[in-house]
Amino acid sequence: MVVELVAAGLSGGALYVLAAARVVRQYERGLVFRLGRLRPTVRGPGFTMIVPGVDRLQKVNMQVVTMPVPAQEGITRDNVTVRVDAVVYFKVVHPADAIIQVEDYRFAVSQMAQTSLRSIIGKSELDDLLSNREKLNQGLELMIDSPAVEWGVTVDRVEIKDVSLPETMKRSMARQAEATRDRRARVINADAELEASKKLSEAAKQMSDQPAALQLRLLQTVAAVATEKNSTLVLPFPVELLRFLEGAREGTGARAGRAPLPAEGAARLSEPEPDPLSEPGPLSDAPPEPCPLSEPGPLSGTDRPTSVDDSGCLNKPGDLDKADQLAGTGEAAGERRPESGG
């Protein structure tokens, strides 16, 4: 009888111990609710006992929680539609507040993060979202951490993961970046040309003092071109040589213009060219008639000679008609002479 009672007591005690025994992990903390009332003592990690049927042990995870924030679509301050997603890192620092003050602290932190993210998008510009993320992360962390303190939760950090832009905005930004790179390339090229022109000017001054340097440079250029596998060799012709040849040709022409003419050539040039109309033909051997003597006296405005005939005589205005008549008479005589000779 006694043995049976002892055995029953031992079995009951074992059942009680099994029902009251609890194990709290290292990263957890235990809160005991006795008849619905929170006990002030927070159970630490390890083995602990509760009153079965009266106490209820609730464990709270104290690790850092990584919570992704769903992508939120909003309009920035400069009227650009974007989609931004983020990630929140937080942990529980007061287990009692995390259980009593809020129904589900995870869900509460998630909703607060989404609301704060949309607010940050509306207050920021597109350039800030793309380049100044550290400042936005700090602002977003403050916005989430302020209400979370009452829930026994502290936010370690908040990071904006990705910013999705419309395709039209992406193309516009790509053109802008290309134009910026092109401008920089042009500026760098212009600076290089300026510096190269200065160096070439100094080299030209140095080569002008030493003409042999220019020839050496020409030979180096020819050697550099000849090293490649080219079937045609372009040999530059010095401009100075062209100028020398041109100056020599001009000097020769000037000397030839100042040279004395030979005697025979001078005699030929001094002789007047015969006029075919005044030459005596084979049928007319008579000498030319002498110029008629003009009447002596002062020359008036009407008596001044105004023309020279073929024989070199000066004609007055009244003699022009006579000269024409004589010319007609001579032509008629020339036409009749062959008939008389026949």
Side-chain angles (χ1 to χ4, degrees), residues 7-186:
L10 291 175
S11 60
L15 293 175
Y16 178 81
V17 171
L18 292 176
R22 296 291 186 272
V23 176
V24 180
R25 296 182 179 90
Q26 181 66 35
Y27 54 86
E28 295 177 341
R29 297 295 182 269
L31 298 177
V32 178
F33 289 89
R34 179 168 296 175
L35 300 176
R37 187 180 182 87
L38 178 64
R39 301 292 295 175
T41 304
V42 178
R43 306 295 176 89
F47 181 79
T48 186
M49 298 288 292
I50 62 173
V51 178
V54 178
D55 295 342
R56 182 176 63 88
L57 180 66
Q58 186 171 355
K59 300 176 183 179
V60 180
N61 193 338
M62 305 296 291
Q63 291 178 323
V64 176
V65 180
T66 303
M67 177 180 294
V69 181
Q72 302 297 314
E73 185 173 356
I75 301 177
T76 61
R77 192 167 60 181
D78 51 354
N79 299 325
V80 179
T81 303
V82 295
R83 290 177 59 88
V84 182
D85 56 353
V87 58
V88 181
Y89 300 90
F90 68 94
K91 65 179 180 179
V92 177
V93 292
H94 300 288
D97 293 339
I99 298 300
I100 296 174
Q101 299 295 335
V102 64
E103 180 180 2
D104 187 354
Y105 66 91
R106 290 175 179 266
F107 182 75
V109 171
S110 176
Q111 295 300 314
M112 180 57 64
Q114 295 179 28
T115 305
S116 301
L117 183 58
R118 285 193 296 268
S119 178
I120 285 293
I121 293 174
K123 295 179 180 179
S124 304
E125 295 183 356
L126 180 60
D127 294 338
D128 295 335
L129 290 175
L130 297 177
S131 60
N132 197 9
R133 293 189 179 183
E134 295 182 358
K135 183 178 179 181
L136 297 179
N137 293 336
Q138 294 176 0
L140 189 59
E141 179 181 348
L142 292 175
M143 294 179 66
I144 299 174
D145 190 50
S146 297
V149 172
E150 300 179 358
W151 306 332
V153 177
T154 180
V155 178
D156 287 345
R157 59 187 305 175
V158 180
E159 295 288 342
I160 295 177
K161 294 173 59 177
D162 187 20
V163 178
S164 300
L165 301 175
E167 293 297 330
T168 56
M169 181 59 64
K170 290 181 181 179
R171 289 193 294 268
S172 300
M173 295 178 66
R175 289 194 297 268
Q176 180 183 1
E178 184 178 359
T180 303
R181 289 193 296 269
D182 190 13
R183 180 179 62 84
R184 292 177 181 175
R186 290 177 182 272

Side-chain angles (χ1 to χ4, degrees), residues 45 107 123 179 201 218 225 241 262 280 302 314:
F107 182 75
K123 295 179 180 179
S201 178
L218 176 61
V225 174
L241 183 58
T302 58
L314 299 176

Side-chain angles (χ1 to χ4, degrees), residues 247-303:
R249 185 178 62 182
E250 292 178 355
T252 304
R255 288 194 299 272
R258 294 192 301 268
L261 295 175
E264 184 179 356
R268 291 180 180 178
L269 292 176
S270 62
E271 295 179 357
E273 295 182 359
D275 190 357
L277 297 178
S278 63
E279 288 183 356
L283 301 179
S284 177
D285 297 335
E289 297 179 359
C291 295
L293 298 176
S294 59
E295 297 180 357
L299 294 176
S300 61
T302 58
D303 296 336

